[in-house]
Amino acid sequence: MTTNPTSTTTPPPARAGRREWTALGVLMLPLLLVSMDVSVLYFAIPAISADLEPSGTQQLWIFDIYAFVLAGLLMTMGSLGDRIGHRRLLLIGAAAFGTASLAAAYANSAEMLIAARAVLGIGGATLMPSTMAMTRTMFTDPAQRAKAIGLWSGVMTAGIALGSVMSGLLVEYFWWGSVFLVNLPAMALLLVLGPVLLPESKNPAPGRFDWLSVPLSMAAVLPVIYGLKEIPSDGWNVRYVVSVTVGLLFATAFVHRQRTTASPMIDPALFRGRGFGPSVALNLVSAFGIMGSAYFTTQYIQSVLDKSALEAALWALLPSVPIGAAAPVAAGLVHKGVDRAHVVTAGFAIAASGFSLLAFAGTDAMWLVLTACAVLAVGGVIVMSQIMDLAMGTAPVERAGSASSLMETGAEFGGALGMAVLGSIGTAIYRHEMPASAPDVAHETLGGALAVADRVPGLATAAREAFTSGMQGAAIAGAVLLAGAAGLAAVTLRRVEAPEPACETPDAPSKLSASGVR
């Protein structure tokens, strides 16, 4: 008796062609700008302050409201995209982002700029998970998907570094509103080419949207991010500890809601996929290392080495150069049969070695610090690209937005936690190392010490040495943590591969054809 092999063999996933890769290039533009907007005000704030004269509180909100709104709405927008379609949500977000950019550029009051930055955060929250979800939709071949997600991770990481440099250059030659106007051409291009190149993808049976989960998710994310963000500068103040505690209580309520409601915003079934839960945790740890190190290295280059703000930003861009090769090399190794667990473990080990290098930096070690930053960034991008590929490959395509938003929210938590924990370690060492006779303001921060250094002989040298000691101590802690994460990855990801979800059946290409992709 013979059987027809075509009745039992599933055809391989369709490979993406020139159209899909072109569409990916279009998607990378909004992703780059969304990540740049996290740091694009670094050099524009002084000019904004001179023009709009915001109060101290308003200035903080101008800077922080974008990241807070972005982090708070990621899960909501990822789930919404699964329901109404990621292309539709992407185009709505692009229109909102472009409009808000125009409003921010010509804001004539601090209140108007804060409102525009908040809308930018809403737009960014729609764009980030949508770009990843659509990448997942367009690239069904595992090897091509890994390359595409590697590009996504590299662009995301590089955008944060590029934002501050772009800000410095634009403010140097134009007015502060130009840092927002650069968003407009990319958003216009997306609105024109998106309907032609991008497929529509959504969950065919999403159930009712759980509106109660929206405020619960925001109440879980925002207080924790706020508290962790403020701890490095002000210490473990009671209000910040209370803020984090309140956020964690709401997080518990949010998780309970997702496990008990009929139509959850984040389907708990995602965590039943092999490797998804470890991916979220390991992505958080990777962000912990990258953002925790950035807290020190940016201050080191500017304040310890006494570089101008623009000089510091330009030097800080150098470590981003090798990022472009890190993710493709990692994807190529996995494609050639190297166990993904080994690649991720190696990525954490590389990042840990970057922290180890940082622990040897003195007060005049620019090239050592830049090398350490580059090694850290390469290791982090290797981890993030592989972990994201594993998570997105494990998640069903109809829940790609929810999966992406969970990973990105975890990265936001990890970054804030890294700055809080490592920043607190460094600050504690700094204060211990400062001479007891130094003014009180000098015991608080390096910036405070340098501000009064001209009145106290030797204070600047002592403060720079104390800050460097704090950076060394934090680097040792970071190296130990990432070395532990390497061991955790080796155990949790062993023999875990990203299976192709059952929903990707042989008729998937024909469904995509109807959306205008093939």
Side-chain angles (χ1 to χ4, degrees):
M1 180 178 177
T2 61
T3 60
N4 182 359
T6 60
S7 64
T8 59
T9 302
T10 302
R15 289 180 60 81
R18 183 180 301 174
R19 190 186 191 103
E20 287 78 16
W21 288 107
T22 302
L24 180 65
V26 173
L27 284 178
M28 292 302 98
L29 286 174
L31 177 64
L32 179 67
L33 293 172
V34 168
S35 58
M36 283 173 55
D37 263 44
V38 173
S39 57
V40 79
L41 289 188
Y42 281 177
F43 298 132
I45 281 290
I48 292 172
S49 297
D51 188 16
L52 302 184
E53 300 181 349
S55 66
T57 301
Q58 287 175 328
Q59 181 170 306
L60 287 174
W61 278 114
I62 289 171
F63 196 85
D64 290 337
I65 190 67
Y66 173 80
F68 285 155
V69 173
L70 176 69
L73 287 176
L74 279 171
M75 286 190 289
T76 297
M77 293 305 179
S79 178
L80 185 63
D82 287 340
R83 285 166 166 78
I84 70 171
H86 293 292
R87 182 178 66 184
R88 178 183 299 177
L89 186 62
L90 184 77
L91 297 178
I92 292 172
F97 201 86
T99 303
S101 296
L102 190 63
Y106 293 100
N108 55 17
S109 67
E111 293 83 0
M112 182 177 177
L113 183 54
I114 292 169
R117 288 278 286 170
V119 178
L120 279 170
I122 296 172
T126 68
L127 293 169
M128 281 181 63
S130 294
T131 56
M132 174 53 69
M134 302 196 74
T135 300
R136 171 73 179 89
T137 299
M138 293 188 297
F139 296 92
T140 56
D141 177 77
Q144 289 188 319
R145 184 184 65 228
K147 291 179 182 178
I149 290 178
L151 286 171
W152 189 97
S153 302
V155 168
M156 184 69 194
T157 305
I160 296 175
L162 187 60
S164 59
V165 177
M166 178 74 74
S167 170
L169 292 174
L170 289 172
V171 172
E172 181 77 16
Y173 295 104
F174 304 98
W175 98 110
W176 61 263
S178 61
V179 303
F180 299 108
L181 290 183
V182 294
N183 297 333
L184 297 181
M187 295 304 154
L189 185 65
L190 179 60
L191 289 170
V192 171
L193 297 181
V196 178
L197 293 174
L198 301 175
E200 185 58 283
S201 62
K202 61 182 178 180
N203 190 338
R208 296 178 60 186
F209 188 75
D210 184 25
W211 289 102
L212 180 59
S213 289
V214 176
L216 279 178
S217 66
M218 295 188 71
V221 173
L222 294 181
V224 176
I225 296 290
Y226 169 74
L228 293 177
K229 184 178 175 62
E230 297 299 322
I231 284 170
S233 56
D234 289 349
W236 292 85
N237 187 294
V238 172
R239 67 177 179 271
Y240 302 142
V241 175
V242 169
S243 179
V244 172
T245 303
V246 168
L248 293 176
L249 291 174
F250 275 109
T252 303
F254 176 75
V255 171
H256 177 74
R257 176 72 180 177
Q258 305 316 295
R259 298 183 65 174
T260 55
T261 188
S263 299
M265 176 188 289
I266 303 295
D267 194 339
L270 282 171
F271 288 89
R272 291 197 286 269
R274 290 189 64 194
F276 187 84
S279 295
V280 174
L282 293 172
N283 193 52
L284 185 152
V285 175
S286 180
F288 179 106
I290 291 175
M291 295 305 295
S293 65
Y295 176 80
F296 292 97
T297 55
T298 52
Q299 292 185 73
Y300 178 90
I301 295 172
Q302 184 171 351
S303 298
V304 175
L305 298 180
D306 199 23
K307 303 290 184 184
S308 70
L310 184 55
E311 281 180 316
L314 290 171
W315 280 114
L317 228 130
L318 278 181
S320 303
V321 174
I323 288 177
V329 169
L333 290 174
V334 173
H335 182 57
K336 290 179 179 179
V338 178
D339 194 317
R340 191 190 302 269
H342 296 160
V343 175
V344 174
T345 299
F348 274 121
I350 291 170
S353 67
F355 266 125
S356 299
L357 283 175
L358 204 59
F360 289 98
T363 55
D364 187 20
M366 181 175 71
W367 288 106
L368 178 61
V369 169
L370 292 177
T371 301
C373 291
V375 173
L376 250 166
V378 166
V381 170
I382 287 174
V383 171
M384 293 173 73
S385 62
Q386 285 304 304
I387 287 298
M388 186 67 82
D389 180 46
L390 174 62
M392 298 308 294
T394 300
V397 70
E398 66 270 16
R399 296 193 187 102
S402 297
S404 174
S405 66
L406 269 176
M407 296 293 287
E408 291 155 10
T409 302
E412 294 286 340
F413 273 121
L417 190 62
M419 293 177 68
V421 173
L422 298 185
S424 296
I425 292 172
T427 299
I429 295 174
Y430 169 83
R431 291 172 178 170
H432 181 266
E433 293 289 322
M434 283 294 290
S437 59
D440 290 342
V441 67
H443 281 272
E444 294 301 316
T445 64
L446 174 59
L450 295 179
V452 298
D454 57 340
R455 302 200 300 265
V456 183
L459 179 60
T461 299
R464 288 179 173 123
E465 290 175 349
F467 179 86
T468 303
S469 296
M471 183 177 71
Q472 292 168 346
I476 293 171
V480 171
L481 176 73
L482 293 188
L488 182 64
V491 173
T492 59
L493 300 184
R494 186 180 301 159
R495 293 184 296 275
V496 172
E497 291 298 328
E500 292 305 310
C503 63
E504 291 187 5
T505 56
D507 66 337
S510 64
K511 290 181 179 179
L512 293 176
S513 296
S515 300
V517 181
R518 291 182 175 83

